C-alpha cells in the first residue's frame, strides 16, 4: 500500500508540473527542479515518466488495486471468515476510496476521467461485496442472540412452553433469526449481536458511508433487524390486523387482542426498541444520520402496527361497556410516552412520535365520547313496565356499578376531562347522576299508587347514596351532594308514610269522641271506626307485603316508623272501645287484632321478591 501511495504522490506532482508548464518546457524543468530540491522522492529520475500520458500513474495504481480487490470480490468464501483477509480487503477499499478522492479534482482531463469511471466501477463492485458481507455478518451474528438478565431462568419463550418448544423444533432449519421472549420484567438487556460482530459491521459501515453507499448499508441492516422485530411481535401474540379488521371483530375477541397489545407494546417500547436503538448507534458509530435512518426503518413497521391497533380502538364504537379496555389502551400509551419521546427522538422518527401523541389524544376523545353515549343510554332507557314491588331498577344498578368501576381510574379520567376545558370529571359525574334521577322520576310515574311511587324512589335513592359513599365517586360528588340526597331519601320516606299510613292512622283518631261515649250513636261510631281500621289495615298490609325494600336497614326503619305511628293509637283506641258500656257485653269479640297482632302484621311488610326487584349488588 505504501508503494501505491508514493506512486500516487509522484503522479500528482508530475501532473502539476505538466499543467503549469505545458507551453514552456523550461518552466516545466524549473518546476521539476523545485520539487526535487524540496523532497528527495521527487528526483528527476522518478519524476521523469516514460509514459507521457497524465493518466498513466492512475492507471498503474488502479491496476494494482484491481488485482488486490478482485480476488476478494470474486471469492465464494466469506471474506470475514479470516481476519487477515478482511483487513486486507478493507485496506484495499480504503486505498481505492482515497485514490478516487485525490484524483477527482483532475477529472477535467479526459483520460483521467475515463480512469476514474473504471475506479468507480471497481468501487461499486467492492460495495456490493461489502453489502453481502454485512448481511452475512448480521445473519450469522444473530445466532448468538441472548437475553442477559438475572431472571432469565424464569422467562418462558411462549405463553405455552410445550407448544413453543414444538414450534422451535419444527422450524429450526428455516428460522434464521431468533426472537425476543415475552416477559413481565422490563429490566432486560438484549445482546442481539456479539461485540466482535458489531465491530466488524461498524468497519464495513464506515467504508460504505464514506463511499456514498450509506443508504444501501442502512437498507441491508434494516431488512435484517426488521425481520427480527416482526417475528418478536408475532411471538408476543400480536396479530397484524388492519383498522378495518379490528373494527369488524367481535368485542370479546378485541378484548383479548387488547390484552396482548398492552403486553407487546410494553415489551417493544421498554426492551426491543431501546435495544435496537443501542445496536444502531454501535453499528453506525460516528455516523448519526445513518444510525437514525436505520433505526427508523427497523422500527417503523412494528410501531405503525402498534399505533394502528390503538387507533382502531380510538375510532371504534363508543358503547359504554368498552370504556375499561379503552382506558387500558389510553393508560398504556400515556405511561409509555416518555419511552416514545426518548427512543424516537431523532428527525427521522418525528412522524412516528407525533402519531403516537395524536392517537393518545384521540383515545382521550373516545373516552369522553363513551361517557356521552352513557348519557344517551340513560336518556333513552324507556319507562315501560314498572319494576315489581317498587324495587331497584336495572338502570340504577347498571349506572351506579358502572360509575364505581370507572372511578377506579379516577386519576386517568381526570386527566382525560382536563383536556376538555368545558368540563371536569366531577361535573361529568354530577351530570350523569342528575340524568339518572330524572329518568327514575319519569319511571316512578308508572305506579298508580303514590305510596309505591315513593317506595320506588326511596329504594333507588338509597341504593345510589350507598354506592356513592366511601369511594372515589363520593369524593368527586362531595359531602354536600351526599347530604342532599340523604335528605331526598328521607323525604320519600315521609311521602310514603303520609300517602299510605296516615289514612289508616286517621281512622283511629278519637279526639272528637268523649272519653266514655254513651248511647247508641257513640257505640256505633266506635264500631264503624274499628271496622274501617281493620279494612284499611288489612288491605294495606296485603298490598305492601309484596312490595320490596332491598336494604335491610331501610326496611327496619320503615317498619319501626309505622309501628310508632299505629301501635300507640291503636292501643288507646282499643282501651276506649273496651271501656265503652254501650258496645256490647263481649267487646273483645269485635276486636280482630291485639296490639301484638298489629305489630306482627307490620313485620310482614316488604317481603316481595322478584328478579328485577331483587337484592342489592
Amino acid at each position: 500500500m505504501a508503494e501505491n501511495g508514493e506512486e500516487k504522490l509522484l503522479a500528482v506532482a508530475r501532473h502539476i508540473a505538466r499543467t503549469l508548464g505545458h507551453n514552456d518546457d523550461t518552466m516545466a524543468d524549473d518546476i521539476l527542479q523545485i520539487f526535487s530540491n524540496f523532497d528527495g522522492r521527487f528526483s528527476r529520475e522518478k519524476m521523469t515518466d516514460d509514459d507521457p500520458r497524465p493518466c498513466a500513474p492512475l492507471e498503474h495504481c488502479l491496476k494494482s488495486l484491481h488485482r488486490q480487490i478482485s480476488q476478494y470480490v470474486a471469492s465464494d468464501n466469506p471474506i470475514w471468515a479470516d481476519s487477515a483477509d478482511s483487513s486486507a480487503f478493507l485496506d484495499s477499499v480504503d486505498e481505492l476510496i482515497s485514490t478516487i478522492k485525490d484524483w477527482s479534482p483532475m477529472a477535467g482531463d479526459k483520460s483521467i476521467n475515463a480512469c476514474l469511471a473504471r475506479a468507480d466501477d471497481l468501487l461499486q463492485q467492492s460495495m456490493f461485496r461489502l453489502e453481502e458481507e454485512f448481511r452475512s455478518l448480521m445473519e450469522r451474528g444473530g445466532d448468538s442472540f441472548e437475553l442477559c438478565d438475572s431472571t432469565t431462568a424464569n422467562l418462558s419463550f411462549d405463553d405455552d412452553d410445550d407448544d413453543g418448544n414444538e414450534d422451535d423444533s419444527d422450524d429450526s432449519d428455516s428460522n434464521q433469526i431468533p426472537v425476543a421472549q415475552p416477559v413481565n420484567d422490563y429490566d432486560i438487556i438484549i445482546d442481539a449481536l456479539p461485540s466482535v460482530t458489531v465491530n466488524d459491521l461498524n468497519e464495513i459501515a464506515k467504508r460504505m458511508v464514506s463511499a456514498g453507499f450509506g443508504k444501501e448499508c442502512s437498507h441491508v441492516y434494516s431488512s435484517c433487524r426488521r425481520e427480527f422485530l416482526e417475528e418478536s411481535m408475532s411471538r408476543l401474540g400480536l396479530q397484524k390486523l388492519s383498522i378495518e379488521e379490528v373494527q369488524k371483530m367481535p368485542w370479546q375477541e378485541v378484548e383479548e387482542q387488547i390484552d396482548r397489545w398492552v403486553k407487546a407494546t410494553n415489551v417493544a417500547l421498554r426492551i426491543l426498541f431501546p435495544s435496537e436503538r443501542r445496536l444502531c448507534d454501535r453499528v453506525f458509530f460516528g455516523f448519526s444520520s445513518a444510525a437514525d435512518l436505520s433505526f427508523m426503518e427497523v422500527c417503523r413497521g412494528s410501531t405503525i402496527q402498534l399505533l394502528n391497533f390503538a387507533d382502531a380502538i380510538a375510532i371504534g364504537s363508543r358503547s359504554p361497556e368498552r370504556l375499561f379496555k379503552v382506558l387500558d389502551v389510553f393508560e398504556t400509551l400515556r405511561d409509555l410516552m416518555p419511552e416514545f419521546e426518548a427512543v424516537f427522538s431523532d428527525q427521522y422518527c418525528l412522524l412516528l412520535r407525533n402519531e403516537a401523541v395524536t392517537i393518545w389524544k384521540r383515545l382521550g376523545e373516545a373516552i369522553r365520547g363513551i361517557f356521552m353515549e352513557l348519557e344517551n343510554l340513560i336518556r333513552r332507557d324507556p319507562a315501560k313496565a314498572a319494576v315489581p314491588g317498587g324495587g331497584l331498577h336495572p338502570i340504577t344498578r347498571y349506572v351506579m356499578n358502572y360509575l364505581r368501576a370507572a372511578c377506579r381510574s379516577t386519576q386517568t379520567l381526570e386527566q382525560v376531562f382536563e383536556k376538555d376545558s368545558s368540563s371536569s370529571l366531577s361535573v361529568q359525574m354530577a351530570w350523569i347522576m342528575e340524568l339518572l334521577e330524572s329518568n327514575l322520576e319519569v319511571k316512578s310515574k308508572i305506579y298508580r299508587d303514590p305510596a309505591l311511587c315513593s317506595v320506588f324512589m326511596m329504594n333507588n335513592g338509597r341504593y345510589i347514596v350507598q354506592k356513592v359513599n366511601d369511594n372515589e365517586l363520593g369524593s368527586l360528588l362531595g359531602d354536600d351532594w351526599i347530604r342532599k340526597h340523604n335528605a331526598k331519601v328521607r323525604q320519600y320516606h315521609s311521602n310514603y308514610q303520609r300517602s299510605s299510613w296516615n289514612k289508616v292512622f286517621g281512622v283511629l283518631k278519637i279526639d272528637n269522641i268523649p272519653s266514655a261515649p254513651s248511647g247508641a250513636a257513640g257505640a256505633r261510631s266506635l264500631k264503624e271506626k274499628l271496622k274501617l281500621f281493620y279494612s284499611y289495615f288489612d288491605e294495606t298490609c296485603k298490598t305492601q307485603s309484596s312490595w320490596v325494600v332491598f336494604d335491610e336497614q331501610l326496611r327496619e326503619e320503615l317498619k319501626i316508623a309505622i309501628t310508632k305511628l299505629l301501635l300507640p293509637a291503636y292501643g288507646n283506641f282499643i282501651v276506649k272501645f273496651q271501656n265503652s258500656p254501650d258496645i256490647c257485653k263481649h267487646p273483645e269479640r269485635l276486636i280482630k287484632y291485639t296490639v301484638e297482632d298489629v305489630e306482627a302484621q307490620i313485620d310482614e311488610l316488604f317481603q316481595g321478591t322478584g328478579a328485577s326487584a331483587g337484592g342489592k349488588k
Side-chain angles (χ1 to χ4, degrees):
M1 293 303 167
E3 179 184 349
N4 286 336
E6 186 173 327
E7 275 294 328
K8 184 167 61 176
L9 186 62
L10 291 171
V12 173
R14 293 189 197 106
H15 181 75
I16 293 173
R18 290 194 186 100
T19 302
L20 295 178
H22 69 284
N23 291 326
D24 190 334
D25 292 338
T26 302
M27 180 180 290
D29 288 339
D30 291 342
I31 292 172
L32 291 174
Q33 185 61 48
I34 292 171
F35 278 140
S36 179
N37 293 337
F38 175 74
D39 191 323
R41 289 176 296 175
F42 299 130
S43 64
R44 280 186 170 276
E45 291 76 11
K46 291 183 178 180
M47 293 289 288
T48 303
D49 191 358
D50 294 336
D51 191 338
R53 294 177 304 148
C55 65
L58 178 57
E59 283 187 343
H60 177 75
C61 180
L62 290 179
K63 187 179 295 184
S64 174
L65 287 173
H66 185 274
R67 183 174 60 254
Q68 297 165 23
I69 291 174
S70 60
Q71 63 176 324
Y72 295 112
V73 170
S75 176
D76 292 332
N77 297 321
I79 299 175
W80 260 257
D82 188 311
S83 59
D85 287 343
S86 60
S87 297
F89 183 54
L90 289 178
D91 287 343
S92 297
V93 172
D94 288 340
E95 186 67 23
L96 178 60
I97 294 173
S98 179
T99 298
I100 293 173
K101 181 179 180 180
D102 291 341
W103 283 87
S104 291
M106 305 169 222
D109 186 291
K110 290 184 179 180
S111 60
I112 292 177
N113 189 53
C115 288
L116 288 174
R118 293 198 302 274
D120 286 338
D121 182 63
L122 182 60
L123 180 64
Q124 194 168 41
Q125 294 178 41
S126 302
M127 292 299 111
F128 287 160
R129 184 54 194 254
L130 282 178
E131 185 177 316
E132 292 178 9
E133 293 294 325
F134 192 94
R135 187 188 304 277
S136 177
L137 284 171
M138 291 282 294
E139 293 174 351
R140 292 202 311 271
D143 293 338
S144 59
F145 167 81
E146 294 177 354
L147 279 178
C148 299
D149 182 68
S150 59
T151 60
T152 302
N154 298 325
L155 306 180
S156 59
F157 195 74
D158 282 306
D159 290 335
D160 186 339
D161 292 340
D162 294 334
D163 292 344
N165 291 335
E166 290 175 7
D167 291 343
D168 291 344
S169 61
D170 292 341
D171 300 337
S172 58
D173 293 333
S174 60
N175 208 358
Q176 295 291 326
I177 296 182
V179 296
Q181 303 178 30
V183 295
N184 295 319
D185 181 2
Y186 300 112
D187 188 18
I188 294 175
I189 298 173
I190 294 183
D191 289 334
L193 297 171
S195 295
V196 173
T197 302
V198 172
N199 292 336
D200 289 338
L201 291 171
N202 178 249
E203 291 299 323
I204 295 176
K206 287 179 183 177
R207 274 68 180 189
M208 294 189 72
V209 173
S210 297
F213 286 77
K215 288 187 177 180
E216 289 78 1
C217 186
S218 292
H219 177 73
V220 175
Y221 175 90
S222 303
S223 63
C224 293
R225 297 307 301 169
R226 185 163 53 243
E227 185 177 349
F228 165 84
L229 270 186
E230 290 174 355
E231 186 67 17
S232 297
M233 291 295 191
S234 177
R235 290 294 180 92
L236 288 170
L238 195 65
Q239 300 179 26
K240 283 189 174 181
L241 299 169
S242 67
I243 292 177
E244 293 75 17
E245 288 172 329
V246 174
Q247 292 180 333
K248 290 178 181 178
M249 291 174 66
W251 179 242
Q252 186 175 0
E253 293 182 22
V254 176
E255 288 182 309
E256 295 174 359
Q257 289 295 324
I258 288 175
D259 291 338
R260 296 191 186 103
W261 179 90
V262 169
K263 180 181 182 182
T265 305
N266 274 285
V267 172
L269 267 297
R270 294 178 176 177
I271 298 177
L272 297 178
F273 292 169
S275 296
E276 291 301 325
R277 175 77 262 184
R278 183 169 55 251
L279 182 61
C280 278
D281 291 341
R282 292 176 64 197
V283 171
F284 294 97
F285 180 74
F287 305 98
S288 59
S289 181
D292 293 344
L293 176 62
S294 299
F295 175 73
M296 185 274 293
E297 289 189 350
V298 169
C299 297
R300 178 176 53 188
S302 297
T303 304
I304 290 175
Q305 180 184 356
L306 293 172
L307 293 179
N308 278 350
F309 182 85
D311 200 23
I313 301 302
I315 64 178
S317 168
R318 298 291 193 264
S319 181
E321 68 268 14
R322 300 192 172 200
L323 172 67
F324 306 101
K325 285 299 181 182
V326 176
L327 280 171
D328 287 345
V329 178
F330 177 88
E331 290 172 344
T332 298
L333 278 185
R334 178 199 64 194
D335 295 344
L336 290 174
M337 205 54 65
E339 279 74 13
F340 267 104
E341 295 288 341
V343 174
F344 299 112
S345 59
D346 60 82
Q347 58 176 340
Y348 293 105
C349 294
L350 178 62
L351 289 177
L352 293 177
R353 190 168 66 248
N354 290 344
E355 184 68 7
V357 173
T358 298
I359 292 174
W360 176 53
K361 291 180 179 178
R362 198 172 292 152
L363 284 163
E365 294 171 3
I367 292 170
R368 291 193 291 273
I370 288 174
F371 274 90
M372 291 179 63
E373 187 58 32
L374 177 64
E375 296 172 14
N376 293 332
L377 183 149
I378 296 171
R379 288 192 189 96
R380 293 193 300 261
D381 191 63
K384 294 181 179 178
V387 176
L392 189 62
H393 197 281
I395 189 67
T396 306
R397 181 184 288 111
Y398 174 82
V399 172
M400 295 312 300
N401 286 328
Y402 185 93
L403 294 182
R404 279 177 64 94
C407 284
R408 294 170 191 156
S409 302
T410 296
Q411 184 178 0
T412 299
L413 291 174
E414 285 178 338
Q415 183 180 14
V416 167
F417 282 97
E418 281 173 4
K419 301 293 182 182
D420 183 4
S421 57
S422 64
S423 183
S424 67
L425 181 58
S426 58
V427 170
Q428 180 69 38
M429 291 299 179
W431 172 239
I432 291 175
M433 299 304 297
E434 184 175 337
L435 286 175
L436 176 60
E437 289 179 62
S438 299
N439 181 275
L440 291 172
E441 287 175 2
V442 172
K443 287 179 167 59
S444 71
K445 306 302 181 186
I446 301 175
Y447 299 101
R448 296 181 180 179
D449 189 332
L452 185 55
C453 173
S454 296
V455 168
F456 173 78
M457 292 304 295
M458 186 167 34
N459 269 316
N460 287 271
R462 182 63 165 254
Y463 184 83
I464 289 172
V465 171
Q466 287 182 340
K467 286 292 183 179
V468 168
N469 270 323
D470 302 326
N471 64 81
E472 290 293 334
L473 184 55
S475 300
L476 288 169
L477 294 172
D479 293 338
D480 288 342
W481 188 97
I482 295 174
R483 282 193 293 270
K484 176 182 175 183
H485 285 76
N486 273 323
K488 283 187 175 182
V489 173
R490 289 193 295 272
Q491 184 61 49
Y492 294 137
H493 184 170
S494 299
N495 293 344
Y496 157 76
Q497 185 168 304
R498 182 174 60 253
S499 60
S500 180
W501 292 101
N502 281 4
K503 176 182 177 182
V504 180
F505 173 74
V507 175
L508 298 175
K509 289 183 177 180
I510 52 177
D511 296 341
N512 298 325
I513 299 177
S515 58
S518 59
R524 188 167 53 252
S525 175
L526 287 174
K527 289 179 181 179
E528 289 176 355
K529 281 181 173 291
L530 185 62
K531 184 178 180 180
L532 192 59
F533 168 80
Y534 289 144
S535 174
Y536 287 167
F537 181 76
D538 287 344
E539 180 184 356
T540 301
C541 287
K542 181 181 178 181
T543 300
Q544 296 190 15
S545 63
S546 64
W547 289 5
V548 176
V549 176
F550 77 89
D551 181 67
E552 183 177 353
Q553 181 181 349
L554 179 60
R555 187 164 60 246
E556 292 305 314
E557 289 174 358
L558 288 173
K559 291 178 181 179
I560 291 171
I562 297 168
T563 299
K564 287 182 176 180
L565 176 71
L566 286 185
L567 292 190
Y570 180 70
N572 291 336
F573 185 92
I574 292 300
V575 169
K576 292 183 181 293
F577 184 82
Q578 290 174 330
N579 292 335
S580 176
D582 297 320
I583 295 294
C584 61
K585 293 182 179 180
H586 303 286
E588 63 275 4
R589 294 178 180 177
L590 299 177
I591 300 173
K592 187 176 181 179
Y593 301 125
T594 65
V595 173
E596 290 75 16
D597 291 335
V598 171
E599 185 176 10
Q601 287 275 70
I602 294 173
D603 196 51
E604 295 297 320
L605 297 176
F606 314 121
Q607 299 298 317
T609 58
S612 298
K616 177 180 68 171
K617 290 185 179 178

